[in-house]
Amino acid sequence: MKRTLIVGGGSGGTILANSLDRHEFEITMLSSSFGHLFQPALLYVAFSHARARFVRDERSLLARHVNLLHDEVTSINLKNKTVATKSGVLFPYDYLVVATGMHTDTSQIPGLSETNAEFGDYHSSLAKAERLSYHLDGFRGGTIAIGQSSPIIKCPPSPLEGVLLTDQLLRKRGLREISRLIYFTPYPRPYSAEPMNEVVEPLLEERGIEVMTFFDVERIDPANKTIFSIEGDKIEYDLPIIIPPFVGANITYEPSDAVDEDHFVIADKSTLRIKGAEDAFVVGDASNLPTSKAGVGAHLQAKVVAQLLSGHPATFDGRTSCPFDTGDGRGTFVIGSYDAPVIKARPTRIKHLMKTAFQRIYWISLRGTLNPVFDVYFKLTAPKKAAAASD
Amino acid sequence: MNQTSGRTLVDSRGSSCPGPITDLAIAYRRSKVGDVIELWATDPGVKADVNAWAAKTGNEIVSVDEAGGKITVIIRITKR
C-alpha cells in the first residue's frame, strides 16, 4: 500500500482522495477544519441574501476508506518525506499532495484590516460575506467602490460579478439613480484577458459603472473614506467592497524554495510535481501555476494527480472554465488553457442556468460520480489555439 | 520571481494574458525607485500592456527585445 498524505480538505483534496483506489493507496487527509465550504456561494450570500447549507462536514464528503484527521500542518520536509503538525505528530509519506488552498491577508495593505473588519468582503468567509450583505442592506445611496486590491485573486471573474450584482441590487431597490458605482482594477482593462473584456466593457458602460484601471491599492484611509493606489490615484467611497490580497498556507517547507514570496507552492505546470520533489504534488489554489485560481482547476488537477499516482501518464493543460454571473439572470464562462487564450463568450441565460445547476450538484461532484458528465463538458467546450468567438 | 539587489527577473514565459501584466504588477508592488525589473514573456499582448502600464505609472521602459518567441522588457522604476 502506498502511504498517501493529502494536506487540505477543499475541493481539490477531496476529489483526489475519492479518486484513488482503496486497494492501492492508504490515504490520510490532514485538515485544519472539518467544515467544507462551497466557496462560490459567498458571492450570493453577500449580494443576494442566499442562505442555504453551504458548509458540510468533510467526513460526509469522503469515501469511507479515507482516514481524515483534524490537525494543522506546520512544516513539510520534501527531502525526508515527512509532514509535521501543530499537535506534534510527524507523518511519513510515500506520496504527498498539497491542497491547502489560499486565504485572504488584509495585513498587506495599510488600513485594510479595519476596513475589512467593518464592511466584510465576499472571499474570506461566510461571516464576512454576511457582514457585507448587512452593509449593502443599509446602503441608501452614495458611492460604492468595488475591486480587487492586488493582482492575485481567487476566481478571476468574481470582482466583476460583484460590481454587476451590486448594480442589479441597486436598480432593484431604486437606488441606482442616486448612486455612483466605481470599479477599480490593477489591470489595463476591466477584464484582464482581452477577448473577455470585449464582452464585459460594453456591459459596464451600458450600466453606467465607472472604471478605474491600473488601480493597485496601496493604502486605505478609513477615517476619510479614501482608497489610494500605487499609481497615484484615489477613490472616495461611502461603501467599500475591497477584495483582500491572497496568500498561500503558512507552512514551512524544506527546501524553502519550494514556495514563493506569498507562500504559493512552486510546481511543474504540467505534472504538478512540487519543485525538487518526485513524490510530492500540489493541486488547486495552493500552487503558483500560471492559470486561474478556481474550483475547476482544482478539480482537473486532482484528476491528473490521481492518474499519475496510479501510474498512468497525465498532464494538466491549464484549462479553466470559470462561471461568470453578469447579472440580470445571464452568465458566461471564462474558458482558456496554457496554449489557448481565453475565448470570447457572450452571456446567455442558459450559461447562467448552468452555473446555478452546478451549485446544486457540487457536493455530489466531489465524489467523482459525475466525472463522465464533466469529461463530456470539457471536451465540448475545449478552447482552440486560434481564438474564435463562441456563444 | 528572482530578486537580486535592485534587479528583479520576472519570468512570465508560457503564461498568457493577463499573466505577464499580473506578474509585473506584483513586482512593481515590491519595488522601490531605482530598481530594474526584467520581464520575460511569450504572450505578444505584453508589449501593449506594458506600454500602457508605463504610461500610467510614469515608469521607464528601457528596452523591448524579441527573439525566438521570447519578449524581454527592461523597466526602470522611477516612480513609486
Side-chain angles (χ1 to χ4, degrees):
Chain A
M1 294 286 267
K2 301 166 188 169
R3 287 173 307 175
T4 305
L5 202 54
I6 300 172
V7 180
S11 53
T14 305
I15 290 168
L16 177 70
N18 289 335
S19 302
L20 296 174
D21 185 346
R22 68 190 173 96
H23 301 295
E24 199 182 339
F25 297 91
E26 181 189 301
I27 310 159
T28 300
M29 177 185 281
L30 290 168
S31 184
S32 56
S33 166
F34 280 178
H36 185 122
L37 170 68
F38 175 59
Q39 297 181 44
L42 298 184
L43 177 76
Y44 297 105
V45 170
F47 297 100
S48 315
H49 289 122
R51 299 287 185 271
R53 200 174 147 218
F54 296 127
V55 180
R56 296 204 182 176
D57 191 304
E58 180 65 23
R59 180 67 270 167
S60 71
L61 306 171
L62 288 170
R64 278 188 193 171
H65 60 274
V66 178
N67 181 28
L68 174 65
L69 298 175
H70 183 247
D71 209 341
E72 195 178 319
V73 170
T74 53
S75 65
I76 292 174
N77 191 321
L78 298 167
K79 291 176 181 166
N80 296 342
K81 297 176 72 170
T82 54
V83 168
T85 67
K86 199 173 180 180
S87 65
V89 183
L90 195 67
F91 291 87
Y93 64 81
D94 295 320
Y95 292 113
L96 170 74
V97 182
V98 173
T100 43
M102 63 178 185
H103 61 272
T104 55
D105 178 15
T106 57
S107 70
Q108 288 186 19
I109 294 175
L112 181 56
S113 292
E114 51 197 295
T115 306
N116 183 268
E118 182 177 355
F119 294 100
D121 69 83
Y122 60 105
H123 286 77
S124 298
S125 64
L126 266 178
K128 286 283 173 70
E130 283 168 1
R131 182 116 200 106
L132 175 55
S133 173
Y134 168 80
H135 281 280
L136 282 164
D137 283 348
F139 184 74
R140 296 286 178 268
T143 301
I144 297 180
I146 176 166
Q148 65 190 88
S149 59
S150 114
I152 299 171
I153 182 90
K154 186 192 283 281
C155 184
S158 64
L160 281 158
E161 288 184 300
V163 76
L164 291 166
L165 292 183
T166 303
D167 168 68
Q168 178 185 306
L169 187 69
L170 295 179
R171 277 187 279 123
K172 200 172 162 188
R173 291 172 52 202
L175 295 169
R176 191 62 184 93
E177 297 296 314
I178 54 167
S179 304
R180 271 182 84 193
L181 207 42
I182 303 174
Y183 177 72
F184 60 87
T185 173
Y187 298 118
R189 55 193 82 84
Y191 194 85
S192 50
E194 182 58 45
M196 188 51 83
N197 188 59
E198 289 172 16
V199 173
V200 170
E201 202 160 7
L203 264 182
L204 298 175
E205 213 174 295
E206 187 184 296
R207 297 186 195 177
I209 296 166
E210 299 167 48
V211 177
M212 290 187 77
T213 55
F214 287 125
F215 193 99
D216 206 340
V217 177
E218 182 173 46
R219 66 188 171 90
I220 297 155
D221 178 354
N224 292 303
K225 297 181 171 181
T226 308
I227 309 168
F228 296 88
S229 75
I230 295 173
E231 293 82 2
D233 291 320
K234 64 177 183 179
I235 302 172
E236 292 176 358
Y237 62 77
D238 293 299
L239 174 57
I241 305 178
I242 304 171
I243 301 167
F246 289 87
V247 291
N250 187 22
I251 294 172
T252 305
Y253 280 80
E254 179 58 39
S256 59
D257 63 358
V259 288
D260 69 11
E261 299 92 331
D262 293 311
H263 290 276
F264 290 108
V265 180
I266 299 169
D268 183 279
K269 69 177 192 176
S270 300
T271 66
L272 310 173
R273 279 191 171 83
I274 298 174
K275 185 184 175 187
E278 271 301 302
D279 306 317
F281 300 81
V282 61
V283 297
D285 295 348
S287 81
N288 81 335
L289 300 183
T291 187
S292 298
K293 294 186 183 302
V296 66
H299 187 132
L300 293 172
Q301 290 160 30
K303 284 180 64 184
V304 167
V305 173
Q307 289 287 307
L308 290 172
L309 293 183
S310 304
H312 305 299
T315 52
F316 177 60
D317 64 358
R319 179 67 195 273
T320 60
S321 184
C322 303
F324 182 170
D325 190 332
T326 55
D328 296 334
R330 289 176 183 269
T332 182
F333 285 83
V334 181
I335 294 172
S337 72
Y338 291 144
D339 296 326
V342 163
I343 62 174
K344 183 176 176 180
R346 291 190 177 81
T348 64
R349 292 194 186 282
I350 288 176
K351 289 174 192 163
H352 184 262
L353 282 174
M354 286 167 72
K355 177 172 184 176
T356 312
F358 180 70
Q359 292 173 24
R360 298 185 180 180
I361 60 171
Y362 172 73
W363 304 107
I364 309 167
S365 75
L366 296 174
R367 283 279 187 171
T369 43
L370 295 174
N371 279 348
V373 179
F374 288 124
D375 289 345
V376 171
Y377 167 77
F378 287 123
K379 198 173 174 185
L380 288 174
T381 58
K384 294 181 177 66
K385 283 190 181 182
S390 165
D391 290 311
Chain B
M1 206 171 293
N2 187 359
Q3 190 162 22
T4 50
S5 61
R7 191 175 184 94
T8 303
L9 173 64
V10 180
D11 187 355
S12 291
R13 288 175 298 171
S15 175
S16 60
C17 175
I21 200 73
T22 301
D23 295 340
L24 176 59
I26 294 168
Y28 181 47
R29 181 178 275 278
R30 293 178 177 141
S31 69
K32 54 186 188 304
V33 170
D35 285 356
V36 169
I37 297 173
E38 181 171 341
L39 176 66
W40 294 354
T42 44
D43 173 28
V46 71
K47 288 181 276 186
D49 281 356
V50 169
N51 276 325
W53 175 87
K56 171 68 186 177
T57 59
N59 288 291
E60 181 192 347
I61 297 177
V62 179
S63 64
V64 180
D65 291 307
E66 196 167 356
K70 177 185 163 192
I71 301 161
T72 304
V73 188
I74 309 282
I75 299 147
R76 192 186 316 279
I77 303 301
T78 53
K79 197 177 167 193
R80 268 303 313 263

